[in-house]
Amino acid sequence: MSDSPQAVKMPAQQIIRSRRIVLPGEILDGFVRIEGGRITEIGAGEPPAPAGEAGVAYYDLRDARLLPGMIDLHIHGLGGWDTYDLRPETALRLAQLLAATGTTAYWPTLATASWEEMEQACRYWGEEYHREAAGRAPGGTAPRGTARPRGTAPVPAGARHLGLHLEGPFLNPRKPGAMRPEWMVPPDRAKLARLLELAAGSVRRVTLAPELPGALDLVRDLRARGIVVAVGHSEATYEEARLAFRAGITLGNHTYNAMRGLHHREPGLLGAVLDLPVDAELIADGVHVHPAAMRILWRAKGTDRVAVISDAVSAALLPPGRYDLHAFQVEVRPDGTSRLADGTLAGSTATMLDCFRVLVEEVGVPLPAAARMTAAVPARIAGVGAHKGQIAVGYDADLFAVDDGWHVLATWVEGVPVHTPERPLRVTDLLNPRLVGGR
């Protein structure tokens, strides 16, 4: 397998046949036609016979489910690759691992770190974002609106980098989660401007604690730039949260986790997220939030207000053992959880596909609704909902196929078959060799 994208001959059309195509609100026995990286037709029953048609690739998935590619708005790493590992291959491997597990677009997330490390990481991910947008590695495909030579397209490395998420550093040290409280700093316009400058326009979201002095000024500055602002790692009261939402915050960062909980006389930040018209992230791994609490959130907010995330750390997909992550040493236990020495959960070891399975099998969410929570809602929040996040005519052909055992059989990113049985992205081949097996 080559580590860099390369131009290859691509079929003028692709037809995907499946008895279970998960569309908005229904499951269709039919086919999807792809041309030029986009979905051009969705039909019921058997497609036109492809035999003998030049330039047409035909995929018969039989009973495998065809789903919209998932979009992860909150991920710190995967397979031993961390968003603070600033080597050239990191972005490539993350993109490939995500595609191999059904995720077709993402926001790489920087947890709060030392100031110098955050500066360096902002510069790295800003450069990766613009390199991909220019059609070079690690992304490979041309940006929307640019012409591709007929019948050819560069091979994308994997999931599409949609922009950077800064989880901090303007967080409440009383709600650090698995981050170091000493690295959290008071809201500061100059510091924020420095990070945004280094990221060169690639920052799409900032998570902060709105109860901190000066935080609402940052919220207004960020919203003026069109950047999504989330509330998280916060002790905000219900009233403080209400004022923050009025100032421009639109998203609850990993709802339930690292936020002031619900009390019947002081609903707190959790109560505000449940009650008010904002979007709610959910780590749906079945560990961070109990399935019953997930159902409560889903019923309170509705399908179109819940965005499922992995919040995965670089220990995700690695075998049990001890690992040095960016800020801490963690233990991946036999039950698959990643924990600090005191037992605190240190991010998630789940993929988006794991979360999708939990939604369906443990929470009881129907497949079309689970697909919206893992694709359409994140796409809307990320500002790409007009062309990503669902299987619909005119949308980017971001798709993945999964069997009844939740194994990903194929993934298409903007119409390019990145992961197929004939050309698979093998997870075991993509893990960081420095970390496999622990320490």
Side-chain angles (χ1 to χ4, degrees), residues 143-195:
R144 291 183 62 84
T146 60
R148 294 178 176 136
R150 183 174 177 81
T152 66
V155 176
R160 186 59 101 178
H161 171 6
L162 295 178
L164 186 58
H165 166 205
L166 305 181
E167 192 177 16
F170 313 113
L171 305 175
N172 193 322
R174 293 172 61 88
K175 288 288 185 182
M179 292 186 277
R180 291 187 178 179
E182 64 267 27
W183 287 341
M184 298 174 181
V185 299
D188 184 301
R189 278 175 154 166
K191 287 183 180 294
L192 174 63
R194 175 61 176 164
L195 295 179

Side-chain angles (χ1 to χ4, degrees), residues 326-351:
H326 168 247
F328 297 99
Q329 186 176 84
V330 302
E331 179 185 3
V332 175
R333 298 183 177 179
D335 65 1
T337 60
S338 170
R339 295 182 183 270
L340 304 180
D342 64 1
T344 300
L345 285 169
S348 164
T349 55
T351 65

